């Protein structure tokens, strides 16, 4: 058997192994895709149950990059006014302040003013006054310290509500900052992944030309294809993380309704 025949047999075997490997990878990818579709169906049904609705859930079908993103201060400032958790904490604070004012009213005197006047004085004796005014004051001097206890209790509740508001604002601020910088990191990962794709495409083109000329082996060609697929997968993962980080950031800010607008005006990501 000549050397050329042996080389041809070896190349054929290598290509056959590469083809088998590609088929295995495709079968695993199809299985993962079917599993993802099943998980999506389960998630949609769970969301319909939570929202108590029967209409289909419209999910985001494309990944994108927002064109007009603001700095962290913008989202933190909006979160202080629009985050529902902070709004609830502020409402509880106002209720505690009202309760404190109500308990303080127990120390104030009760004043009642009454008055009367005669509209018609025909055949009415001059000894009967034509008008009268009365003032009554009721001041509680001692009630067993119950008023003081209620007032101190209401003041403690007011102080606790104030502390809860500050703590909630700090926690939301940290959450917004965390999601914001996660968004920035995801955006940077997208940019770097684009460079990796360009490099992998250039490397694959070189490998194809080398394989045609007999310089590059089939194994190197397969490695170049795998590297390009890995770069695209890394790019898709970065784009997915970007969209997730943006959704979490808007949720923490209380601006979830802006997600659809940003998606429509943003730059779509093509994989």
């Amino acid at each position: 058997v000549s050397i050329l025949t042996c080389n041809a047999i070896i190349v054929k075997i290598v290509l056959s192994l590469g083809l088998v490997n590609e088929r295995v990878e495709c079968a695993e990818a199809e299985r993962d895709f079917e599993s993802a579709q099943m998980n999506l169906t389960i998630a949609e049904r769970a969301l319909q149950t939570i929202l108590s609705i029967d209409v289909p859930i419209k999910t985001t079908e494309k990944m994108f990059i927002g064109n007009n993103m603001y700095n962290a201060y913008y989202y933190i400032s909006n979160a202080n006014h629009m985050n529902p958790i902070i709004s609830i904490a502020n409402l509880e604070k106002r209720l505690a302040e009202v309760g404190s004012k109500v308990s303080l009213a127990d120390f104030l005197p009760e004043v009642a003013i009454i008055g009367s006047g005669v509209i018609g004085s025909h055949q009415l004796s001059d000894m009967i006054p034509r008008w009268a005014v009365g003032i009554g004051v009721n001041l509680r001097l001692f009630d067993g310290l119950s008023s003081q206890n209620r007032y101190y209790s209401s003041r403690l509740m007011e102080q606790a509500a104030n502390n809860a508001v500050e703590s909630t604002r700090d926690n939301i601020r940290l959450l917004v900052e965390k999601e914001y910088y996660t968004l920035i990191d995801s955006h940077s990962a997208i940019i770097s992944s684009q460079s990796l794709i360009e490099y992998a495409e250039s490397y694959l083109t070189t490998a194809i030309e080398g394989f045609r000329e007999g310089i590059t082996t089939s194994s190197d060609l397969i490695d170049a294809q795998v590297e390009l697929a890995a770069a695209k997968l890394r790019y898709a993962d970065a784009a997915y993380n970007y969209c997730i980080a943006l959704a979490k950031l808007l949720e923490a800010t209380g601006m979830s309704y802006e997600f659809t607008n940003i998606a429509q005006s943003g730059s779509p990501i093509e994989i």
Side-chain angles (χ1 to χ4, degrees), residues 79-80 83-90 92 161-175:
N80 290 330
N83 186 280
I85 299 178
I86 295 180
S87 299
I88 292 174
N90 287 328
E92 292 177 349
N162 291 333
N163 294 336
V165 169
E166 296 300 326
S167 177
T168 303
R169 286 180 177 175
D170 291 339
N171 293 335
I172 295 299
R173 178 180 59 81
L174 292 176
L175 178 61

Side-chain angles (χ1 to χ4, degrees), residues 118-125 130:
V118 178
I119 298 177
S121 61
H122 180 65
Q123 295 182 351
L124 188 65
S125 173
R130 298 299 187 268

Side-chain angles (χ1 to χ4, degrees), residues 34-44:
E34 292 176 357
S35 177
Q37 285 184 323
M38 293 177 59
N39 292 334
L40 177 60
T41 302
I42 294 174
E44 289 178 350

Side-chain angles (χ1 to χ4, degrees), residues 32-50 53-59:
D32 293 339
F33 179 71
E34 292 176 357
S35 177
Q37 285 184 323
M38 293 177 59
N39 292 334
L40 177 60
T41 302
I42 294 174
E44 289 178 350
R45 292 178 180 176
L47 186 58
Q48 288 176 341
T49 302
I50 294 174
I53 59 177
D54 296 329
V55 298
I57 302 297
K58 184 179 181 182
T59 58

Side-chain angles (χ1 to χ4, degrees), residues 126-145:
D126 293 337
M127 300 296 295
I128 299 177
R130 298 299 187 268
W131 58 271
V133 177
I135 299 176
V137 179
N138 182 17
L139 179 62
R140 186 178 303 172
L141 299 179
F142 183 74
D143 60 353
L145 300 179

Side-chain angles (χ1 to χ4, degrees), residues 155-259:
R155 289 291 297 172
L156 291 175
M157 293 179 62
E158 183 179 357
Q159 185 63 38
N162 291 333
N163 294 336
V165 169
E166 296 300 326
S167 177
T168 303
R169 286 180 177 175
D170 291 339
N171 293 335
I172 295 299
R173 178 180 59 81
L174 292 176
L175 178 61
V176 170
E177 289 181 350
K178 172 182 175 296
E179 299 301 341
Y180 177 78
Y181 290 115
T182 301
L183 180 69
I184 297 300
D185 291 340
S186 300
H187 186 269
S188 300
I190 291 175
I191 302 301
S192 62
S193 298
Q194 290 175 338
S195 301
L196 289 176
I197 290 177
E198 294 176 357
Y199 169 77
E201 289 177 345
S202 176
Y203 178 67
L204 178 59
T205 301
T206 303
I208 292 174
E209 294 296 331
F211 183 77
R212 290 174 179 174
E213 298 295 332
I215 301 175
T216 305
T217 63
S218 59
S219 178
D220 294 334
L221 179 60
I222 294 175
D223 290 340
Q225 293 175 339
V226 171
E227 185 173 349
L228 177 59
K232 290 183 177 181
L233 182 60
R234 192 178 297 111
Y235 179 68
D237 184 64
Y240 171 79
N241 291 332
Y242 176 88
C243 294
I244 294 297
L246 177 61
K248 290 183 177 180
L249 174 62
L250 295 177
E251 180 184 7
T253 309
M255 301 169 57
S256 297
Y257 58 89
E258 286 290 338
F259 185 84

